[in-house]
Amino acid sequence: MTTGAPPATTSTAPTGRQVWTRTRGLALAAVLILAAAVAMAAVRSTARHGELDPRSADPYGSRAVAELLGQRGVSTRVVTTLDAARSAAGPDTTLLVAVPDRLTHRQQTHLRTATAASGGRTVLVAAGSWSVERLAPGVTADPAVSGDSTLAPHCALPEARRAGTADTGGVRYTTTHLDADSCYPSERLATLLRIPAASGDGDTVVLGAPDILYNERLDEQGNASLALQLLGSRPHLVWYLPSLSDASGARTGDQKDFFDLLPSGWLWATVQLFVAAALAAFWRARRFGPLVAEKLPVAIRASETTEGRARLYRKANARDRAADALRSATRTRLAPLLGIPAAQAHTPEALLPALSARLTGDGQTLHPLLFGPPPGDDAALIALTDQLDTLEREVRRS
């Protein structure tokens, strides 16, 4: 069987306009997300500038505490290296560690060795599970933080009883030290612990949240009273702000891995996102019930409907459906021309012998042409269309 001349080459590659039309929504979404991220980073960097720095007058700085301590004769000195913090530890010094979780495990061990027998006070601010077990052995941080910010003392610690209610809600702790003062409990877990030293007059204070040290929160509740009593028990206060550029941290081999750098609660947030995505997919995939036939407000030409369906097939890369539709329509039109009942038009055993008897030439290509697999690309689909048209014309002329 002769199927005619090869079809003319037709370009199936999308044009630049089509590519832009398909991707402009994603590009706009990416630009909006990037702009929102930049804006949020700018706002947060402005709001948190100088956080817990006794030299900063920003809302989250701690200059107000340092000024009040200075009026009471307590000197404040800021250090940013581990060596300076270790050398400053002594019986007449309170060492405040602003961000304990920023220290590596080796730095924490060295700092604990220097403060354990110094006879002074060590204050750990919002120490998490990464640091608290080394800086305050026998203390464990609970994975769940306090749900309330303002808490009552409920303990016998004189500083806490005089201060009263304070904003200590944050990390919650448990301890194995029987002589420890457990204050400001949240669901029976303390947010402030005072652990006396094994020997001497020193002690370690673990504070679950830094709120009582912030400039903007100092005048609320009993925050100022609690902060001044905890930091003013010795004539000297050394304020340790761990720095990422500290050489002692660069020499260690126990740097945090990727998951340690993620904020707490990231796992539950990820699970919530997956649940939300599953619910959204279920909502979008819900059944709308059976179709309801209704009259169209205007008459649509068959050619427009065919062209619209073809565009949908092309957009979805549904070459298999398009090829099935073309072959089925060709077989339906060939059946009455060959004298075959319409019910047998799609049966190879009935259609192919009648078609071979009608045409001259090799009929081995009829089966893959009318009942073969779907084309592999758009060019093969176009070639299939031309071959089906040629076959139908030959049957009509025979």
Side-chain angles (χ1 to χ4, degrees):
M1 181 192 69
T2 303
T3 58
T9 303
T10 304
S11 174
T12 59
T15 63
R17 183 181 183 87
Q18 290 174 330
V19 172
W20 166 247
T21 302
R22 296 175 184 176
T23 60
R24 61 186 178 183
L26 295 176
L28 179 60
V31 171
L32 292 177
I33 292 174
L34 181 61
V38 172
M40 292 175 62
V43 171
R44 292 190 64 181
S45 63
T46 302
R48 295 284 181 174
H49 177 70
E51 184 175 4
L52 284 180
D53 192 330
R55 301 163 296 187
S56 173
D58 291 336
Y60 292 97
S62 302
R63 183 176 177 179
V65 175
E67 293 287 343
L68 292 176
L69 289 171
Q71 296 175 7
R72 288 160 174 76
V74 179
S75 64
T76 301
R77 179 165 65 96
V78 178
V79 297
T80 58
T81 64
L82 176 63
D83 293 338
R86 293 175 61 191
S87 62
D92 59 348
T93 301
T94 298
L95 176 62
L96 182 144
V97 185
V99 191
D101 287 356
R102 191 175 294 172
L103 300 173
T104 64
H105 285 168
R106 186 174 180 182
Q107 288 177 312
Q108 295 164 11
T109 301
H110 289 340
L111 183 61
R112 174 60 185 176
T113 302
T115 59
S118 65
R121 168 171 287 182
T122 303
V123 179
L124 307 177
V125 181
S129 57
W130 172 263
S131 60
V132 70
E133 296 179 11
R134 285 179 173 80
L135 294 175
V139 178
T140 304
D142 191 77
V145 298
S146 170
D148 298 323
S149 173
T150 304
L151 300 171
H154 295 299
C155 67
L157 184 66
E159 293 92 330
R161 294 177 64 87
R162 286 192 291 266
T165 303
D167 293 320
T168 61
V171 184
R172 304 185 305 165
Y173 303 101
T174 57
T175 180
T176 58
H177 295 280
L178 299 179
D179 56 348
D181 293 302
S182 301
C183 301
Y184 297 98
S186 173
E187 297 182 3
R188 294 179 293 182
L189 296 183
T191 58
L192 187 149
L193 288 177
R194 176 189 170 273
I195 304 99
S199 60
D201 297 330
D203 58 10
T204 300
V205 176
V206 184
L207 183 62
D211 297 39
I212 66 171
L213 305 176
Y214 289 152
N215 292 330
E216 68 171 4
R217 304 291 294 274
L218 193 63
D219 60 344
E220 300 177 4
Q221 312 300 332
N223 294 347
S225 175
L226 183 61
L228 294 177
Q229 292 181 82
L230 294 179
L231 303 183
S233 61
R234 271 77 173 172
H236 303 292
L237 171 63
V238 176
W239 201 292
Y240 179 25
L241 295 172
S243 173
L244 297 177
S245 60
D246 189 356
S248 64
R251 293 193 299 265
T252 62
D254 56 349
Q255 301 293 333
K256 297 182 181 180
D257 58 21
F258 174 75
F259 293 101
D260 292 323
L261 297 175
L262 294 176
S264 59
W266 67 270
L267 179 59
W268 288 110
T270 305
V271 173
Q272 290 175 0
L273 288 177
F274 275 111
V275 172
L279 291 176
F282 177 78
W283 170 68
R284 294 295 297 174
R286 67 191 188 281
R287 296 182 62 86
F288 290 96
L291 296 176
V292 178
E294 60 177 326
K295 294 182 179 180
L296 295 176
V298 295
I300 301 177
R301 292 184 299 176
S303 60
E304 293 182 0
T305 303
T306 302
E307 184 178 358
R309 178 172 294 182
R311 288 178 177 176
L312 291 175
Y313 282 158
R314 180 178 181 182
K315 185 175 181 181
N317 290 325
R319 287 184 290 269
D320 53 346
R321 293 179 177 270
D324 289 342
L326 292 172
R327 286 167 169 159
S328 176
T330 300
R331 294 193 297 264
T332 301
R333 292 192 297 268
L334 289 177
L337 298 177
L338 300 174
I340 298 175
Q344 300 179 4
H346 307 290
T347 305
E349 292 77 7
L351 181 64
L352 294 180
L355 190 59
S356 300
R358 186 73 173 268
L359 299 174
T360 59
D362 186 9
Q364 295 181 357
T365 59
L366 293 178
H367 188 280
L369 179 62
L370 293 172
F371 299 95
D377 52 26
D378 290 347
L381 179 62
I382 295 174
L384 174 65
T385 304
D386 293 338
Q387 292 172 5
L388 291 174
D389 288 343
T390 302
L391 174 62
E392 187 174 348
R393 286 196 301 269
E394 290 188 5
V395 172
R396 291 183 183 277
R397 289 198 301 264
S398 61

